[in-house]
Amino acid sequence: MSAGPATAPQNPLEIVRSRSYISLLVISAVLGVPISCVAYGFLALVSELQSLLYEDLPKGLGFSGTPDWWAVPLLAVAGAIVALTIRHLPGKGGHEPAEGLKTGGTPSVTAVPGVALAAIATLSFGAVLGPEAPLIALGGGLAVGAIRMLKRDTPPTGLAVVAAAGSFAAISELLGSPLLGAFLLMEASGLAGPMLGVVLVPGLLAAGVGSLIFTGLDNWTGLGTYSLSMTQVPPADRPTLAAFGWAILAGLAAAILGEAIRRSGQHLQKHVQRRRLPLTVAMGVCIGLFALLYTTITGKPISGVLFSGESTIGPLLADHATYSLGTLLLLVLFKSLAYSASLSAFRGGPVFPSLFVGGAGGLAMSHLPGLDATTGFALGMGALSVAMLKLPMTSVLLATLLLGTVGLTVMPLVIVAVVVAYVLTLRLAKPETPQLGERKPDRPAVP
């Protein structure tokens, strides 16, 4: 709800001192507990289903291992589930991932079942999308539903802040740190100005509570943290003039690759929307065939092409010496094709696949003189993630903080690659033509 022309600007200090703001902080902290539990359960369910579908089920059917073609029928089934969910359940399974990472607006609690079902089918059966977008929607929707039950007269602006806090709690540990999740949501939301801290503090509090809950559930259940992490990071060389040149090249290449993935996904999306069920099934079959071709040619597991890459990006860097240049290039090719097909028809987030494809491309670049594997890996992750997300600060942090102390060594080069990729991505992007009379909505004020 926007203020009228005669309304005086809100004073952030007065808002923070108000009783309603203190209540908002308490509500955000309290809601962080159940929402983070739901998020942890969602990630645990996806992980268990992946093991069931790709390990236990083939053995139960009499196979000695998982056949290379196994993903083709599974992803066809996933396509049918996702298409029917989008067609028949409220919320259409969440936003179209080909349109980027969206965090604006107040989510609807009625969309939560459809978002959850579409995301579980996408992530568990092997499509190349991540859990961050569904978790953001689920956290926000559950928070809105809870606050409406507790206080029906909550104004729209208060609902929006509580929804953001729910999203913060849901992804608090997904990226390895609540700080990374906070930066992602902050930059994606476009918040700025003196009201930034006022709006973000409830979210940060919910993220802190959510992170503690994730840690406690990990210790209690022993299932795992389900967060992006890298335990074996080879050392990186100090930046050199040659590495600076490769950073520029990495930025240029990532912008072109990212735009190709996005445009092909958006082009396919237009066709899928016209014939949702058969073409979503067809996209699932294509993803499975890309994985089959990759493993047939290279002898590497199909998991390299399937899934978001969250659990395989760490081993990719740790075992990079076992990948030839040709294998890495084929991995980038087939993972990009599967990524594009997934963007066009399935439901999930674009973050983890962009990190994986970028990291694989950076490892391929490390075969160039003067560029070590860890530096190339970081350059690729940062450059392709900004090409897909258009979030430069988040992309720099993702590509460096995940590497631990080594990330500080490569950070200057990652910044160069991210800036080059970001600028070129904006120049390559198709201009958006606003409709007649269309204008951007006013940013809601905080009560």
Side-chain angles (χ1 to χ4, degrees):
M1 181 172 61
S2 60
T7 303
Q10 290 180 301
N11 186 331
L13 185 59
E14 292 179 359
I15 295 172
V16 173
R17 288 177 172 175
S18 68
R19 182 175 298 178
S20 61
Y21 189 75
I22 301 301
S23 299
L24 195 63
L25 289 176
V26 173
I27 291 171
S28 299
V30 172
L31 288 179
V33 177
I35 289 176
S36 57
C37 289
V38 171
Y40 186 91
F42 173 84
L43 295 173
L45 175 61
V46 168
S47 178
E48 292 300 314
L49 285 175
Q50 287 177 356
S51 299
L52 174 66
L53 292 171
Y54 281 90
E55 296 176 12
D56 299 339
L57 185 57
K59 293 178 181 178
L61 293 176
F63 294 100
S64 58
T66 304
D68 293 339
W69 51 263
W70 187 253
V72 177
L74 277 187
L75 281 160
V77 173
I81 296 173
V82 171
L84 293 173
T85 300
I86 293 171
R87 179 179 292 178
H88 297 292
L89 292 184
K92 298 182 178 180
H95 77 273
E96 298 277 1
E99 298 172 3
L101 185 66
K102 293 185 176 181
T103 60
T106 302
S108 170
V109 67
T110 58
V112 166
V115 170
L117 181 57
I120 289 171
T122 294
L123 303 173
S124 302
F125 283 74
V128 186
L129 290 171
E132 68 283 353
L135 284 178
I136 290 171
L138 292 173
L142 290 173
V144 168
I147 196 64
R148 280 180 170 160
M149 286 193 299
L150 296 173
K151 191 177 180 182
R152 293 181 178 275
D153 59 344
T154 303
T157 49
L159 288 176
V161 174
V162 172
S167 297
F168 272 72
I171 65 166
S172 57
E173 278 296 308
L174 183 63
L175 300 175
S177 165
L179 179 63
L180 279 172
F183 264 101
L184 174 68
L185 287 173
M186 178 183 69
E187 198 170 13
S189 68
L191 289 171
M195 298 299 297
L196 174 62
V198 177
V199 176
L200 285 179
V201 164
L204 290 172
L205 179 60
V209 172
S211 180
L212 292 174
I213 297 299
F214 263 73
T215 302
L217 288 174
D218 174 33
N219 293 332
W220 180 52
T221 64
L223 294 175
T225 58
Y226 304 112
S227 61
L228 184 61
S229 63
M230 297 183 189
T231 56
Q232 300 180 40
V233 179
D237 299 333
R238 297 190 64 82
T240 62
L241 184 60
F244 179 83
W246 297 135
I248 296 175
L249 178 61
L252 296 174
I256 295 171
L257 176 59
E259 192 64 18
I261 293 172
R262 177 170 35 253
R263 289 197 183 190
S264 58
Q266 292 173 345
H267 176 74
L268 290 170
Q269 174 190 313
K270 296 176 182 178
H271 297 284
V272 170
Q273 288 174 338
R274 298 190 190 104
R275 302 183 64 189
R276 174 66 66 180
L277 180 57
L279 290 185
T280 303
V281 172
M283 289 299 103
V285 170
C286 287
I287 297 167
L289 290 175
F290 294 144
L292 175 60
L293 287 172
Y294 169 74
T295 193
T296 300
I297 297 171
T298 66
K300 294 290 185 179
I302 58 174
S303 58
V305 171
L306 300 178
F307 307 110
S308 67
E310 176 187 355
S311 60
T312 52
I313 189 169
L316 176 66
L317 176 60
D319 301 331
H320 69 274
T322 64
Y323 288 79
S324 65
L325 174 59
T327 298
L328 288 170
L329 292 176
L330 287 172
L331 178 58
V332 171
L333 172 63
F334 287 116
K335 188 81 169 184
S336 298
L337 291 172
Y339 187 13
S340 179
S342 300
L343 287 171
S344 71
F346 288 84
R347 290 295 187 262
V351 175
F352 291 107
S354 68
L355 292 173
F356 186 93
V357 174
L363 288 176
M365 283 191 63
S366 69
H367 287 77
L368 296 168
L371 186 65
D372 64 90
T374 302
T375 301
F377 186 77
L379 294 178
M381 283 200 303
L384 193 63
S385 62
V386 80
M388 296 303 299
L389 305 177
K390 300 180 183 177
L391 305 176
M393 179 65 74
T394 301
S395 299
V396 170
L397 293 175
L398 280 171
T400 55
L401 295 185
L402 291 175
L403 300 178
T405 56
V406 179
L408 298 176
T409 303
V410 302
M411 184 177 287
L413 296 174
V414 171
I415 292 174
V416 172
V418 166
V419 169
V420 172
Y422 180 64
V423 172
L424 183 55
T425 296
L426 295 184
R427 293 184 66 88
L428 292 174
K430 292 181 179 179
E432 296 182 1
T433 305
Q435 301 295 325
L436 184 62
E438 179 184 5
R439 69 182 183 91
K440 290 184 178 180
D442 295 326
R443 190 177 301 284
V446 179

